Amino acid sequence: MSTQQTLSIIKPDAVAKNAIGGVLHMIESAGLRVVATKMVAMSKFQAEGFYAVHSERPFFGELTDFMSSGCVVVSVLEGDNAIQRYRDLMGPTNSNEAPEGTIRAKYGTDIQANAVHGSDSPESAATEIPFFFSAHELRGLNHG
Ligand code: ADP
Ligand code: MG
């Protein structure tokens, strides 16, 4: 195992449910460290850029409307094997299929409003982290 960073987004549905603290508590309780975090309101254009890999999918319009419908909380999480560990903590895409103990089981509603995003690979993390965080904002890493 090696130390990795992954991008987390607390999506507008979870922010609307007052679950920012609840999600961050689950992240920290799982032993992942929050090394950068902020609230942002994504424009439709930013959401389309972030989810460009899904631009041909039938749900792309809905997804980018949803992601730009309210504020989100973006964070960089760090830890051993952080990418897979966070995916496991999130649970599957469809919240209705998420096992107990996962973030999506607790705070998600369905396949779209599923509370959180997490990078799915080192390659995704390497593009998703700088999408939201400048080098300046990431400077303090590894000093926690
Ligand atoms: P994940 O977030 O689990 O990596 P995907 O990358 O496949 O899932 O999809 C990105 C996001 O698009 C999902 O988190 C969800 O919000 C939305 N989504 C995925 N599949 C569907 C679908 N069939 N209908 C509506 N929205 C979807
Ligand atoms: Mg994905």
Side-chain angles (χ1 to χ4, degrees):
M1 289 211 299
S2 64
T3 301
Q4 290 178 328
Q5 291 170 1
T6 190
L7 183 84
S8 162
I9 306 178
I10 304 176
K11 296 185 180 184
D13 60 319
V15 172
K17 279 184 183 173
N18 234 10
I20 296 170
V23 171
L24 291 177
H25 182 65
M26 288 180 78
I27 288 169
E28 292 188 327
S29 297
L32 293 165
R33 181 167 288 273
V34 178
V35 294
T37 193
K38 62 186 170 184
M39 179 177 274
V40 300
M42 295 177 78
S43 66
K44 173 86 171 166
F45 180 80
Q46 282 178 304
E48 287 170 350
F50 183 78
Y51 277 118
V53 292
H54 292 313
S55 61
E56 302 305 318
R57 308 281 286 276
F59 57 81
F60 184 64
E62 266 183 62
L63 170 62
T64 53
D65 281 344
F66 165 58
M67 292 300 290
S68 58
S69 67
C71 288
V72 302
V73 173
V74 291
S75 306
V76 178
L77 311 182
E78 189 173 281
D80 282 343
N81 198 26
I83 295 168
Q84 189 58 49
R85 280 169 63 202
Y86 189 50
R87 295 288 300 190
D88 292 346
L89 180 63
M90 287 165 47
T93 307
N94 189 343
S95 305
N96 295 310
E97 294 168 4
E100 198 171 332
T102 63
I103 295 170
R104 284 169 165 168
K106 186 158 188 191
Y107 295 116
T109 301
D110 54 29
I111 196 166
Q112 177 181 265
N114 57 9
V116 281
H117 166 86
S119 305
D120 64 9
S121 65
E123 294 72 27
S124 302
T127 59
E128 291 177 0
I129 292 170
F131 188 92
F132 286 107
F133 292 95
S134 67
H136 176 74
E137 290 171 299
L138 297 168
R139 279 181 65 224
L141 302 193
N142 302 316
H143 293 275

